[in-house]
């Protein structure tokens, strides 16, 4: 199975990475190389070794805060909106599923007791500046 790409107006808003993604040979990057956050799926045999390394400094510019969700256990529903708050897609994620949100808006409903990881591009702007909420709900 391949990642599910969620698009609106010619722009990728998000990707869903089902737990049933096909096994890569080595590493498989699942989204576009130009996205501000890359997601790779890696399967390596026992004994594989990645040499010690660093990533060189590189100035990057992004227009929003990408987010990555990984559901370790439980079940959630994520609704993706475009920039005008039009609903574009809804996806339920459960244990082992993940999602990368690149643009637009989103809503998360916890359907069962859930443990999940959320990864965001920093720095964190503080509670007052980190989110813009839909006002016409």
């Amino acid at each position: 199975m391949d990642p599910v790409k969620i698009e609106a107006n010619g722009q990728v808003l998000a990707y869903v990475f089902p737990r049933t993604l096909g096994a890569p040979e080595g590493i498989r990057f699942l989204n576009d190389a130009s996205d501000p956050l890359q997601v790779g799926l890696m399967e390596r045999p026992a004994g594989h070794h990645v040499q010690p390394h660093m990533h060189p400094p590189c100035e990057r510019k992004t227009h929003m805060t990408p987010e990555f969700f990984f559901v370790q256990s439980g079940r959630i529903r994520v609704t993706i909106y475009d920039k005008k708050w039009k609903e574009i897609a809804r996806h339920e994620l459960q244990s082992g599923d993940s999602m990368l949100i690149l643009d637009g808006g989103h809503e998360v409903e916890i359907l069962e007791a859930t443990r999940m990881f959320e990864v965001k591009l920093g720095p964190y702007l503080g509670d007052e500046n980190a989110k813009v909420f839909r006002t016409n709900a």
Side-chain angles (χ1 to χ4, degrees), residues 36-37 60-68 118-126 130:
L37 194 62
R60 293 176 168 97
K61 195 173 189 178
T62 184
H63 69 280
M64 71 99 47
T65 303
E67 290 184 71
F68 179 79
E118 177 181 276
V119 179
K120 294 182 187 180
L121 193 61
Y124 181 62
L125 301 175

Side-chain angles (χ1 to χ4, degrees), residues 86-104:
K86 177 184 173 196
E87 184 178 314
I88 302 301
R90 283 184 185 203
H91 285 272
E92 284 192 16
L93 306 178
Q94 57 186 316
S95 299
D97 292 335
S98 56
M99 178 178 239
L100 174 63
I101 301 171
L102 295 171
D103 213 337

